[in-house]
Amino acid sequence: MATLQELQQLKAELQAGLDKEWQKVVAAEESDALDLEEILASYEKHEADLTDATAELAEATAQEEGTRDRLKQAHARASERTPAPRVRAPRIEVTQPVEDRPFESFGAQLQAVYRAGISGGQVDERLTSLQAQSGMSEGVGSDGGYAVQTDFVSEVFSSAYSTGDILSRVRRLPLSGNSNSMKIPAIDETSRVTGSRWGAVQGYWLSEGSAITSSQPKMRRIDLELHKVAALGYMTDELLADASALESVMTQAFTEELVFTIEDAIINGDGAGKPHGIMNSSALVSVSRKSSGNDIETEDLVGMWARLHSSARQNAVWLINQDAEPDLYVVTLGNQPMWIPAGGLSDAPRAQLMGRDVIENEHCASKGTTGDIILVDLSQYVLIDKGGSQMASSAHVKFAEDEMAFRLMTRVDGQAMWNSAKTPFKGSNTQSPYVVLA
């Protein structure tokens, strides 16, 4: 098995190679090169190799950290079994390097951040060590905080991506190293009409001796750049004294608030200092209500399904404001119900509408307004993030209430992968992975 140093070197080489391959794609696109498709395929292969190397490096790093932790625990148990004999000599304290004895819990680090933030408080050496390891300056950073220990960050964000009903379904691309942005090559296809598929590729039936008119894919680029997002929470002095309770409360609080904030941006973000949401996507398809009232009726749901692109149907879900949910209880197709409750005939953990999961949430618009129900394939939304986070505290914000304020900050960005709804080969109604009832 390769060593950690070898894996880090491999990742660096692959990253450099991927950058060169992207330059080839850009150059080929600008020069209308005939071998653009081959060059793009080479870029995608390098990209896949880098993804595999990044995952292998993360696994090796986690394994090494786990081995170090077990070794320290073994030393501690051995010391308890064979205590050192007392001798008449000056007391000598032997300590491990700061980087080898990180915080034992998220609560312990929160307490250290608290002590560093109060007037005259002492800064724990482990905080400055984490700053140095993360590449930040030692001390309070430009954003007024300290780097959060890597395993605690992983816990918060792993929980966020696994518990978020919307966040867990998007296409996530983590960034590493010094990268703060990502440029993703994509096909610029807005129509399936002959001569427009893959942007400008066209197939021909040929008779003997006939010539082929050259064609090639039309490319575009998805530009993503990290934006800061923060969760703010207040803790009483009583809770600050209990590291275990502090960790439990703040981990859940930060996770749930980050999930809520990021998911709202995925749906409603305007792209100004935050992700560009589905409701503001140029590829969004709107279906007009058949009823003059606010109810959701059978014709509305069938109309939305008809405008959902066929490639998006397998992964599609219904997002709905909970106030509009009662309308689904009574919709039928013929004499068959369209809505099946969770644990019903399908024994599914979620309610289903036309065979697809229904996700009740607070991000959809109020009942009777555009966006109270959305039909979407969330795998066609891309989100980038960077694992490193900062924690800051202040005793001044809630001084009168005897509370300490904590802020966890990270960076993300995202947008819909389609830039336009597509006109089908035959038919006039455009189709998209993002369909909303207006």
Side-chain angles (χ1 to χ4, degrees), residues 1 56-70:
M1 181 178 178
E56 187 176 358
L57 176 59
E59 182 180 356
T61 302
Q63 184 176 356
E64 182 174 295
E65 290 175 352
T67 301
R68 285 204 302 266
D69 289 342
R70 288 167 53 204

Side-chain angles (χ1 to χ4, degrees), residues 278-292:
I278 290 168
M279 289 297 294
N280 292 304
S281 169
S282 57
L284 183 69
V285 166
S286 295
V287 175
S288 299
R289 267 172 230 271
K290 300 299 181 182
S291 169
S292 57

Side-chain angles (χ1 to χ4, degrees), residues 83 138 152 173 182 191 201 244 250 280 343 412:
E138 295 190 16
F152 304 151
L173 299 176
M182 178 176 285
S191 173
V201 174
S244 178
M250 295 304 281
N280 292 304
V412 300

